[in-house]
Amino acid sequence: MQPPNQPLGQPQMSPQTSKETSKESGGDPAPGARPPGPRVDASRLWAGGIMTAAIAGLTAVFSVLLVRGVLGFPVLAPDGHGALGDASAGLLAAGSAVVALAATAVLHLLMLSTAQAGRFFAWIVALITAGVVLLPFTSSVSTEAKVGTGVVRLAIGVAIGSLLSAVCRGAGRRAA
């Protein structure tokens, strides 16, 4: 028998069909269905990673300029090479960009495979940054060179970590 509010010839909807329709329209999912998992907007992630690489390179250049040129602490190369030093400052900038791209790849893998990827990524970046900041203190160079190099590396690590953490929040999205 056809309900009075339904046009003739239209099939009657079962309660199961009603639940599926409410799921598609944003309602509660059907019992036993898996909730949508996190997805990664790879284009946003890698665009942010490339921009982070550019910022990391610029951070290297400007932090060397500040630490060596303004504060007078030796960094990477002996004094006498000017405020930016020799080619090692350029290598540091290029290396920083490469590290930022490698960090983007690690972040991408974490976002695809790990719950709370941003939290794990923050710990990875913090520990690696601490390691590279402390590394000059194991050498026999002057204390000023140790501090200067550590400050430059800290600035680069903070730039990469903070920018890619923000990129992680923007590139992660829920599946529809």
Side-chain angles (χ1 to χ4, degrees):
M1 175 165 200
Q2 193 79 21
N5 60 354
Q6 189 172 2
L8 287 174
Q10 294 291 325
Q12 187 176 357
M13 288 180 45
S14 68
Q16 181 67 20
T17 307
S18 173
K19 285 182 183 177
E20 289 171 3
T21 305
S22 70
K23 178 182 142 191
E24 292 171 2
S25 65
D28 293 332
R34 286 182 56 192
R39 291 192 336 183
V40 178
D41 186 345
S43 61
R44 288 184 116 191
L45 176 68
W46 283 98
I50 290 168
M51 292 308 300
T52 299
I55 298 297
L58 289 171
T59 300
V61 169
F62 287 112
S63 61
V64 167
L65 182 62
L66 172 70
V67 170
R68 183 183 286 155
V70 175
L71 301 177
F73 287 10
V75 177
L76 306 171
D79 286 334
H81 290 285
L84 286 177
D86 57 7
S88 62
L91 288 175
L92 178 67
S96 300
V98 169
V99 167
L101 292 175
T104 304
V106 168
L107 179 58
H108 195 171
L109 288 174
L110 287 171
M111 290 177 76
L112 291 174
S113 63
T114 309
Q116 299 290 324
R119 192 167 289 175
F120 284 105
F121 182 73
W123 271 97
I124 290 168
V125 170
L127 291 171
I128 290 173
T129 300
V132 297
V133 166
L134 293 174
L135 195 59
F137 291 92
T138 64
S139 69
S140 60
V141 297
S142 69
T143 303
E144 292 85 13
K146 292 175 186 178
V147 170
T149 304
V151 166
V152 168
R153 291 177 176 181
L154 178 64
I156 294 166
V158 167
I160 292 172
S162 63
L163 290 172
L164 285 180
S165 291
V167 167
C168 177
R169 288 188 298 274
R173 59 188 169 152
R174 285 276 172 204

